Amino acid sequence: MSRRPGTPRLLRQLNDRAALELLLSSGPLTRTQLGQETGLSKVTASQLLARLEERQLVHVVGSQAGGRGPNAALYAVVPSSAYALALDIRASEVTGALADITGQVTGEFTLDPTDTGDPVDQVSGAVQRLLRTCEVPLDHLSACTIGTPGVVDPRTGAVRFSFDLHSWLEDAFHTLRNDLGPTVRIENDVNLAALAEHAEGAGEDASDFALIWLGGGGGVGMAVVIDDRIHWGTTGGAGEIGYLPVPGAPLPGDVGLPGGYQSLRCTGDKPTIAHGFQALVGAQEIITLGESHGFTGTAVGDILTAAAEAHDAGDGFLDELADRIARGVAAVCVVLDPGLVVLGGEVAESGGDDLARRVARATDRIGPNAPRVSVGRVQSPVLRGALLSALQHAREDVFESTVE
């Protein structure tokens, strides 16, 4: 099979993309620097920059002193050429962030969707206000990524097993698509947190790792990174570790049937899985465990903080919690052997490095291939992961715009 040679048009597109990627990653460059980094001749680099400047994708941002001749112009990507929007949607809080194509955050918002009125209207209104405040025209918004609890089918975008959100999440997704266009994508929140940790956090130097999410609101989940990529599974259900059968927890019965919770029990007004791994490390279970050791509170963070401040008196509770977490970690490592497990969510944030060390010791006792265990380092990892995802799509949109 013979190969067709690259056409001038294709080569121009590849060169334009390479230049834009380099300017985004390395900052302002002169024509000579751009040519040296890409291997292009001075003439080709000049033609490329003129082409991108005409399309308002790059502009001159300053100059750099050189040798005997005049100062060389410094070129950079035009920040307003495209924008990316990220949303972290939860039952009790919605956060949003807007960034230009360079990754600079230009605006943010936080709201409680349960305050007043329809949560769908509140979310949609907050997004519209953010765009107006930042003076971003709708046609410059190239991508929007929404992070949400639940299983997101990678083929259809449908969300399952998001019991406390599903009544209004689907309407919010459709409304935002109507408002913003087909740039809207929805992703599992824990997968996005893993994306953030892989890009700039605890998993930055690991090609393979698992992130186990222990949320203060009761959510337990996992994301798996293999060969630097998120592993979703066929239906998006990879990482639903809350359902994992582990020693000491009841086995699942009727799984995922809202309204018929044979395998769920209600704590307050929120369903809690009463089987599998989550029956050991869900928020309510941790609160109950804390009470059995004399530490009381309505939030897992408060209990973990109190146990840590109690020093030796808190060891019993912290060790028992670490043993519970280790059962899930060991089960994952027997199958995947990721080498690194990152703990995320409110439980991990409150327990800190001390909890990670206890989990590592407990896993070593019960598993043949114990991993390194660390706590996530990224602030607001779901929102940050959503923004990184949206930026990636926005940049692809800009790169595609170089096609003649």
Side-chain angles (χ1 to χ4, degrees):
M1 178 177 170
S2 62
R3 291 186 177 181
R4 298 176 60 189
T7 64
R9 176 183 176 184
L10 175 60
L11 293 175
R12 284 196 300 271
Q13 179 190 351
L14 293 174
N15 289 340
D16 290 355
R17 179 186 181 117
L20 287 169
E21 288 180 329
L22 185 59
L23 289 170
L24 284 169
S25 63
S26 301
L29 297 171
T30 66
R31 180 195 63 183
T32 300
Q33 291 169 335
L34 188 64
Q36 290 171 343
E37 293 290 336
T38 58
L40 299 174
S41 68
K42 289 183 179 180
V43 172
T44 303
S46 295
Q47 293 171 342
L48 177 154
L49 287 169
R51 208 162 45 239
L52 295 178
E53 197 168 12
E54 183 180 357
R55 293 176 184 170
Q56 298 182 338
L57 295 178
V58 304
H59 62 167
V60 176
V61 294
S63 61
Q64 185 178 83
R68 299 177 181 177
N71 292 347
L74 281 167
Y75 291 86
V77 174
V78 176
S80 60
S81 57
Y83 287 85
L85 175 67
L87 297 172
D88 178 9
I89 296 183
R90 301 180 181 277
S92 59
E93 183 179 78
V94 176
T95 55
L98 184 69
D100 62 38
I101 191 64
T102 70
Q104 180 66 41
V105 175
T106 59
E108 298 175 290
F109 74 82
T110 300
L111 65 86
D112 182 349
T114 64
D115 267 350
T116 56
D118 181 10
V120 176
D121 291 340
Q122 289 192 62
V123 174
S124 177
V127 168
Q128 296 295 340
R129 286 192 298 275
L130 179 63
L131 294 174
R132 286 196 302 270
T133 301
C134 297
E135 299 181 347
V136 175
L138 194 56
D139 60 356
H140 280 209
L141 182 65
S142 296
C144 171
T145 298
I146 300 172
T148 181
V151 176
V152 181
D153 192 319
R155 303 162 300 182
T156 65
V159 181
R160 299 175 292 129
F161 303 151
S162 185
F163 302 113
D164 58 346
L165 280 178
H166 203 280
S167 60
W168 59 270
L169 175 63
E170 188 173 353
D171 289 340
F173 181 54
H174 288 307
T175 299
L176 289 169
R177 267 210 159 162
N178 289 334
D179 293 345
L180 307 178
T183 63
V184 179
R185 296 172 179 84
I186 191 164
E187 298 284 357
N188 171 263
D189 55 352
V190 183
N191 283 342
L192 291 174
L195 179 66
E197 292 292 345
H198 188 39
E200 50 196 36
E204 190 172 7
D205 298 323
S207 294
D208 300 341
F209 72 93
L211 185 148
I212 295 181
W213 187 267
L214 305 169
V220 176
M222 183 177 73
V224 179
V225 175
I226 301 175
D227 290 335
D228 297 309
R229 294 178 178 272
I230 299 290
H231 178 69
W232 286 277
T234 302
T235 66
E240 286 301 304
I241 196 174
Y243 295 97
L244 180 71
V246 292
L251 293 176
D254 260 349
V255 177
L257 300 177
Y261 296 111
Q262 292 184 22
S263 60
L264 302 180
R265 72 166 179 272
C266 286
T267 303
D269 59 354
K270 185 175 291 187
T272 302
I273 297 175
H275 58 65
F277 185 49
Q278 180 150 342
L280 297 181
V281 296
Q284 186 56 46
E285 284 67 28
I286 294 176
I287 290 172
T288 301
L289 178 64
E291 290 173 349
S292 71
H293 285 269
F295 300 104
T296 60
T298 58
V300 291
D302 296 338
I303 290 177
L304 282 160
T305 299
E309 291 175 348
H311 302 294
D312 292 348
D315 283 345
F317 162 69
L318 293 171
D319 283 339
E320 189 170 347
L321 174 59
D323 285 342
R324 292 186 177 194
I325 297 171
R327 296 177 205 179
V329 172
V332 169
C333 290
V334 166
V335 177
L336 297 176
D337 192 17
L340 170 67
V341 170
V342 178
L343 303 180
E346 186 178 343
V347 174
E349 292 172 7
S350 301
D353 292 335
D354 176 64
L355 179 62
R357 285 190 291 269
R358 293 172 190 266
V359 171
R361 287 198 300 268
T363 305
D364 191 42
R365 288 195 299 270
I366 61 176
N369 47 3
R372 292 183 294 117
V373 180
S374 64
V375 176
R377 298 201 304 259
V378 178
Q379 295 292 318
S380 304
V382 176
L383 185 65
R384 183 60 183 166
L387 189 59
L388 291 174
S389 172
L391 276 169
Q392 180 182 358
H393 289 295
R395 289 171 177 176
E396 285 294 332
D397 186 62
V398 169
F399 299 153
E400 288 296 320
S401 72
T402 64
V403 179
E404 295 176 1

